[in-house]
Amino acid sequence: NAGVTQTPKFQVLKTGQSMTLQCAQDMNHNSMYWYRQDPGMGLRLIYYSASEGTTDKGEVPNGYNVSRLNKREFSLRLESAAPSQTSVYFCASMVAGSSNEEQYFGPGTRLTVT
Amino acid sequence: QKEVEQNSGPLSVPEGAIASLNCTYSDRGSQSFFWYRQYSGKSPELIMFIYSNGDKEDGRFTAQLNKASQYVSLLIRDSQPSDSATYLCAVPIYNFNKFYFGSGTKLNVKP
C-alpha cells in the first residue's frame, strides 16, 4: 500500500515549457486534490476532484489544467510554465466529503521555472 | 479577509513547556477543523480534528474549539524538540469536499 504517489519529485522548466505532474492513490479514495505551497502562503488549492469524472477549480486555478483519468489518478498540467509557478506541489486524497475525514498527502513535487 | 488565519511565528518555547497555536476562521458555518503538522521538506500529516465546542485531547495534544468566537487552538503539552515543525490549520467547506488551509505557524522547541 503506497498511499499517494507523485512523479516527478523534482523538475526544472524553462519559461513557456509544458509539463504534467502525475498523482496516483491506491486507497480507493473518491476525492483528490492539487495544492501548491509557497513560503509563508500555506497550502493553496489549485483544483480538486470530488469524484471520478468531476473536477472543480480551487483558489488559484489560472495557468493549470487537470484530468481525473480514473479513480486512482489525477494529473496536473502546466501548459506554458511561468516563473510565478515555481512552487512545491502536493497531491492529496480522501475517502469522500464527510466531517471527519483526513486528507492523505503525497511527498510533493518541487518545481522551478527559470 | 482570508478564510483561515494563523500567526506565522516562529513560536519558540523551551523543552517541556506548553506550546499554544491559534487559528481563526471567517465562515460561521464551518463545522470541523483539522490540525496538520509539516516537517521541513515533508508533506503535511494529520495531528487531530475537532468538530464540537470545547476540548479534545489526544496524548500531549489538545484541540480547543470556540465557534462563537470563531477560533480553534492546538495546545502541545511537554513540548519536545521533535515537535519543531510548521502547524497548519485546515477548514473544510462545500460539503467537506474543499479545504482552506492557514499559512501555518512555525514552532521551535529549544532543548
Side-chain angles (χ1 to χ4, degrees), chain A residues 50-68:
Chain A
S51 61
E52 186 179 356
T54 68
T55 60
D56 287 285
K57 295 178 180 179
E59 300 172 78
V60 289
N62 292 344
Y64 305 95
N65 285 302
V66 291
S67 295
R68 184 74 183 267

Side-chain angles (χ1 to χ4, degrees), chain A residues 14-55:
Chain A
K14 295 186 187 305
T15 298
Q17 288 184 320
S18 62
M19 78 162 296
T20 299
L21 281 64
Q22 306 286 355
C23 173
Q25 52 90 10
D26 61 2
M27 297 175 282
N28 201 34
H29 286 171
N30 294 310
S31 301
M32 298 185 73
Y33 306 81
W34 276 107
Y35 295 92
R36 60 177 289 173
Q37 186 172 38
D38 304 300
M41 298 292 288
L43 289 165
R44 291 186 292 171
L45 183 63
I46 305 171
Y47 272 93
Y48 68 104
S49 171
S51 61
E52 186 179 356
T54 68
T55 60

Side-chain angles (χ1 to χ4, degrees), chain A residues 98-110:
Chain A
S98 64
S99 64
N100 60 355
E101 294 289 345
E102 72 172 286
Q103 292 191 329
Y104 293 83
F105 287 84
T109 295
R110 283 152 181 78

Side-chain angles (χ1 to χ4, degrees), chain B residues 2 5 7 15 44 57 65 92 103 111:
Chain B
K2 293 182 67 176
E5 300 209 45
N7 187 324
E15 184 175 355
E57 188 174 315
L65 175 59
S103 57

Side-chain angles (χ1 to χ4, degrees), chain A residues 33 37 99 101 103 106 110, chain B residues 32 34 36 38 41 43 97 99:
Chain A
Y33 306 81
Q37 186 172 38
S99 64
E101 294 289 345
Q103 292 191 329
R110 283 152 181 78
Chain B
S32 57
F34 294 72
Y36 285 82
Q38 186 176 26
S43 53
N97 279 319
F99 287 74

Side-chain angles (χ1 to χ4, degrees), chain A residues 80-110:
Chain A
S80 179
S84 61
Q85 294 178 305
T86 293
S87 188
V88 180
Y89 292 84
F90 288 102
C91 177
S93 70
M94 62 186 283
V95 174
S98 64
S99 64
N100 60 355
E101 294 289 345
E102 72 172 286
Q103 292 191 329
Y104 293 83
F105 287 84
T109 295
R110 283 152 181 78

Side-chain angles (χ1 to χ4, degrees), chain B residues 34-47:
Chain B
F34 294 72
W35 282 101
Y36 285 82
R37 177 177 63 198
Q38 186 176 26
Y39 292 113
S40 181
K42 302 296 185 181
S43 53
E45 56 181 347
L46 183 69
I47 297 293

